[in-house]
Coordinates of all heavy atoms in Angstrom, one line a residue:
K192 N 79.7 112.0 114.6 CA 79.9 110.9 115.5 C 81.2 110.1 115.1 O 81.9 109.6 115.9 CB 78.7 110.0 115.5 CG 77.5 110.6 116.3 CD 76.3 109.8 116.1 CE 75.1 110.3 116.9 NZ 74.8 111.7 116.5
A193 N 81.4 110.0 113.7 CA 82.6 109.3 113.3 C 83.9 110.0 113.5 O 84.9 109.5 113.7 CB 82.5 109.0 111.8
S194 N 83.8 111.4 113.8 CA 84.9 112.2 114.0 C 85.3 112.5 115.4 O 86.3 113.1 115.8 CB 84.7 113.5 113.3 OG 84.4 113.4 111.9
I195 N 84.5 112.0 116.4 CA 84.8 112.3 117.8 C 85.9 111.4 118.4 O 86.3 110.4 117.7 CB 83.5 112.1 118.7 CG1 83.1 110.7 118.7 CG2 82.4 113.0 118.3 CD1 82.0 110.4 119.7
D196 N 86.5 111.9 119.4 CA 87.5 111.2 120.0 C 87.1 109.8 120.5 O 86.0 109.7 120.9 CB 88.1 111.9 121.2 CG 89.4 111.3 121.7 OD1 89.3 110.4 122.6 OD2 90.5 111.8 121.3
T197 N 87.9 108.8 120.2 CA 87.4 107.4 120.5 C 87.2 107.2 122.0 O 86.4 106.3 122.4 CB 88.4 106.3 120.0 OG1 89.7 106.7 120.6 CG2 88.5 106.4 118.5
S198 N 87.8 108.0 122.8 CA 87.5 107.9 124.3 C 86.1 108.2 124.7 O 85.6 107.9 125.7 CB 88.5 108.8 125.1 OG 88.3 110.2 124.7
M199 N 85.4 109.0 123.8 CA 84.0 109.3 124.0 C 83.0 108.4 123.3 O 81.8 108.6 123.4 CB 83.8 110.7 123.5 CG 84.7 111.8 124.2 SD 84.5 113.4 123.4 CE 82.8 113.7 123.7
V200 N 83.5 107.3 122.6 CA 82.7 106.5 121.9 C 82.2 105.3 122.8 O 83.0 104.7 123.5 CB 83.4 105.9 120.6 CG1 82.5 104.9 119.9 CG2 83.8 107.1 119.6
E201 N 80.9 105.0 122.7 CA 80.4 103.8 123.4 C 80.2 102.7 122.3 O 79.8 103.0 121.2 CB 79.1 104.1 124.1 CG 79.3 105.1 125.2 CD 78.0 105.4 125.9 OE1 76.9 104.8 125.4 OE2 77.9 106.4 126.8
W202 N 80.3 101.5 122.6 CA 80.2 100.4 121.6 C 78.7 100.3 121.2 O 78.5 99.7 120.1 CB 80.6 99.1 122.2 CG 82.1 98.9 122.2 CD1 83.0 98.7 123.2 CD2 82.9 98.7 121.0 NE1 84.2 98.5 122.7 CE2 84.2 98.5 121.4 CE3 82.6 98.9 119.6 CZ2 85.3 98.4 120.4 CZ3 83.6 98.7 118.7 CH2 84.9 98.5 119.1
S203 N 77.8 100.9 121.9 CA 76.5 100.9 121.5 C 76.2 101.7 120.1 O 75.2 101.6 119.5 CB 75.5 101.4 122.5 OG 75.8 102.7 122.8
Y204 N 77.2 102.5 119.8 CA 77.1 103.3 118.6 C 77.1 102.4 117.4 O 76.4 102.6 116.4 CB 78.3 104.3 118.4 CG 78.1 105.5 119.2 CD1 79.3 106.2 119.5 CD2 77.0 106.0 119.7 CE1 79.1 107.4 120.3 CE2 76.8 107.2 120.4 CZ 77.9 107.9 120.7 OH 77.8 109.1 121.3
T205 N 77.8 101.4 117.4 CA 78.0 100.4 116.2 C 77.1 99.2 116.4 O 77.1 98.6 117.5 CB 79.4 100.1 115.9 OG1 79.4 99.3 114.8 CG2 80.1 99.5 117.1
Y206 N 76.4 98.8 115.4 CA 75.6 97.6 115.5 C 76.0 96.4 114.7 O 75.3 95.4 114.6 CB 74.1 98.0 115.2 CG 73.9 98.6 113.9 CD1 73.5 97.8 112.8 CD2 74.0 100.0 113.7 CE1 73.3 98.4 111.6 CE2 73.8 100.6 112.5 CZ 73.4 99.8 111.4 OH 73.2 100.4 110.2
N207 N 77.2 96.5 114.0 CA 77.7 95.4 113.2 C 78.7 94.5 113.9 O 79.2 93.6 113.5 CB 78.3 95.9 111.8 CG 77.2 96.1 110.9 OD1 76.2 95.3 110.8 ND2 77.2 97.2 110.2
R208 N 79.1 95.1 115.1 CA 80.2 94.4 115.9 C 79.8 93.3 116.7 O 78.8 93.4 117.4 CB 81.0 95.4 116.8 CG 82.2 94.9 117.5 CD 82.7 96.0 118.5 NE 81.7 96.2 119.5 CZ 81.6 95.5 120.7 NH1 82.5 94.6 120.9 NH2 80.7 95.9 121.6
K209 N 80.5 92.2 116.7 CA 80.1 91.1 117.6 C 80.7 91.4 119.0 O 81.8 92.0 119.1 CB 80.8 89.8 117.1 CG 80.2 89.3 115.7 CD 80.9 88.0 115.4 CE 80.3 87.5 114.0 NZ 80.9 86.3 113.6
K210 N 80.0 91.0 120.0 CA 80.3 91.3 121.3 C 81.7 90.6 121.7 O 81.8 89.4 121.3 CB 79.3 91.0 122.4 CG 78.2 92.0 122.3 CD 77.2 91.7 123.5 CE 76.2 92.8 123.6 NZ 75.3 92.6 124.8
L211 N 82.5 91.2 122.5 CA 83.7 90.5 122.9 C 83.4 89.6 124.1 O 82.4 89.8 124.8 CB 84.8 91.6 123.4 CG 85.2 92.6 122.3 CD1 86.1 93.6 122.9 CD2 86.0 91.8 121.2
P212 N 84.2 88.6 124.3 CA 83.9 87.6 125.4 C 83.8 88.3 126.7 O 82.9 87.9 127.6 CB 85.1 86.7 125.4 CG 85.6 86.7 123.9 CD 85.4 88.1 123.5
S213 N 84.6 89.3 127.0 CA 84.5 90.0 128.3 C 83.2 90.7 128.4 O 82.7 90.9 129.6 CB 85.7 91.0 128.4 OG 85.7 91.9 127.4
E214 N 82.5 91.1 127.4 CA 81.3 91.8 127.4 C 80.1 91.0 127.8 O 79.1 91.3 128.3 CB 81.0 92.6 126.2 CG 82.0 93.7 125.9 CD 81.8 94.4 124.6 OE1 81.9 93.8 123.6 OE2 81.5 95.6 124.6

Side-chain angles (χ1 to χ4, degrees):
K192 290 175 175 57
S194 301
I195 65 174
D196 189 274
T197 54
S198 62
M199 303 173 62
V200 176
E201 298 178 3
W202 277 117
S203 59
Y204 279 158
T205 178
Y206 55 94
N207 277 320
R208 184 187 66 90
K209 294 181 179 179
K210 285 190 175 182
L211 299 174
S213 59
E214 294 176 296

